[in-house]
Amino acid sequence: MTPIATDVDRPAAIRRALRDLVAERGFHGASMSAVAKEAGVAAGTAYVHYDSKEELVHATYLEVKADLAAAVLDVLDPDAPPEARYRTIVRAVYRHLREEPARARFLDQLEVSPYRAEAKRRLAEQGDPLGEQAAAADVAARLVDVPMEVIWVLAFGSLVRLVAAGVELSDTELERVADATWRAITTP
Amino acid sequence: MTPIATDVDRPAAIRRALRDLVAERGFHGASMSAVAKEAGVAAGTAYVHYDSKEELVHATYLEVKADLAAAVLDVLDPDAPPEARYRTIVRAVYRHLREEPARARFLDQLEVSPYRAEAKRRLAEQGDPLGEQAAAADVAARLVDVPMEVIWVLAFGSLVRLVAAGVELSDTELERVADATWRAITTP
DNA sequence: CCATACTGAGCGAACGTTCAGTCACCGACA
DNA sequence: TGTCGGTGACTGAACGTTCGCTCAGTATGG
């Protein structure tokens, strides 16, 4: 039958298949057999690497978040002033998600699903560099006095949602969105 | 057996059961048998009123949206200036959703799910008074020049998400959120 | 030749949906 | 007023399918 190719990262292929199927059809339509088929492996293979569907979901979430954080940190100048840093982050997040909108659609769906609470717990455990950026002292000093989650939703929740919904933004429009969310989260 | 009570609105009970189960467990955990059990009816009863689970989902969505629009229109003064109207809408939306957070959680999950496209189509067909409010000429003149969907996500997407996530806002904080989103969507 | 990755038929459970049958109601006719 | 027959909401067991998951067996690299 199909030869076993040891030079491909099957766990990664399985995570990607889950991500793409959830993005396209929801958790509903992302059955383990569909995921296996999409990844080009047999039904049992996912269970060699993950104990359950739930474990696979959480691993996929952490990978998507880590990739996003890496894309942002890659272009971020930690010495730039707060507003410039913020704009850089917005641009980087938008472009990273836009490049593969399945990322945004997966994040958007997971973060409103019942997986949410456990996913957030594991993310905190792993450490979220992007979250720490937002809490940096020089930024925090300028933020509107509301719970941190409100800031987060206004700034990045909206951005993820826009990409997930397939809204196309020109460079000019993206700058306007960055302006808009910065106005929203900082005190006038 | 159980007597048939003709004085209860079973379709409404079934829609509410679906809404509550989706809010609590996701579309994943809202099976038709679970919905029927929650609504206090037999498994087949839902199919007397709806052709399929999908039809039930869409009917529930339209009801939640219609209720939300009604709650807003109830307190809205159409002659007030744009910013005052906007603040009234934000307050009314927040309070209506907060009163039964399952509304927000259901909306949030449906609007990122694969049901989204068809749901939006049916909503447009039915007419959405809330959507028409946002497009009123005197408001539109002050909005940032980005696609209308961006405005919508920044203003109400965030609000729904906050309630869905269980964030509690004091009156003061709610005003700050209304300020923030108004700053976001209007030109400075 | 062992250790390990992988396969795919198959498990019991749960899914969305169906349908024969039960029940309360209502207008027609005596 | 009494009682029939038609109507449609409702029930719940049962359908075929698909779910998440398992495991005996196979192939491969070290």
Side-chain angles (χ1 to χ4, degrees), chain B residues 105-173:
Chain B
R105 284 197 281 269
F106 176 81
L107 286 179
D108 217 19
Q109 293 201 55
L110 190 140
E111 288 180 356
V112 300
S113 78
Y115 291 115
R116 177 192 153 90
E118 175 64 13
K120 289 283 167 197
R121 207 189 56 71
R122 295 191 188 205
L123 185 64
E125 198 174 80
Q126 176 184 278
D128 181 17
L130 206 50
E132 288 155 23
Q133 264 298 319
D138 59 346
V139 176
R142 308 201 37 188
L143 296 177
V144 175
D145 183 22
V146 290
M148 197 58 197
E149 188 156 13
V150 176
I151 302 290
W152 196 256
V153 168
L154 289 173
F156 299 110
S158 299
L159 202 52
V160 173
R161 174 70 58 97
L162 286 173
V163 178
V167 176
E168 297 253 10
L169 299 174
S170 65
D171 286 354
T172 309
E173 287 171 333

Side-chain angles (χ1 to χ4, degrees), chain A residues 1 4 10 41-42 44-45 48-49:
Chain A
M1 291 294 157
I4 297 175
R10 283 166 200 274
V41 300
T45 305
V48 174
H49 303 285

Side-chain angles (χ1 to χ4, degrees), chain B residues 2-13:
Chain B
T2 310
I4 296 176
T6 52
D7 57 344
V8 293
D9 186 345
R10 284 168 199 274

Side-chain angles (χ1 to χ4, degrees), chain B residues 39-101:
Chain B
V41 301
T45 304
Y47 291 91
V48 175
H49 304 286
Y50 302 100
D51 285 346
S52 65
K53 184 178 185 180
E54 186 160 353
E55 288 299 318
L56 170 60
V57 167
H58 289 302
T60 305
Y61 176 69
L62 290 180
E63 183 185 42
V64 171
K65 289 289 266 187
D67 286 351
L68 178 59
V72 167
L73 293 180
D74 190 46
V75 297
L76 192 66
D77 173 9
D79 298 323
E83 183 167 355
R85 284 218 310 287
Y86 179 78
R87 296 175 143 282
T88 302
I89 294 176
V90 167
R91 274 192 294 264
V93 167
Y94 179 80
R95 283 174 190 158
H96 179 75
L97 296 178
R98 201 67 198 70
E99 185 180 294
E100 287 192 60

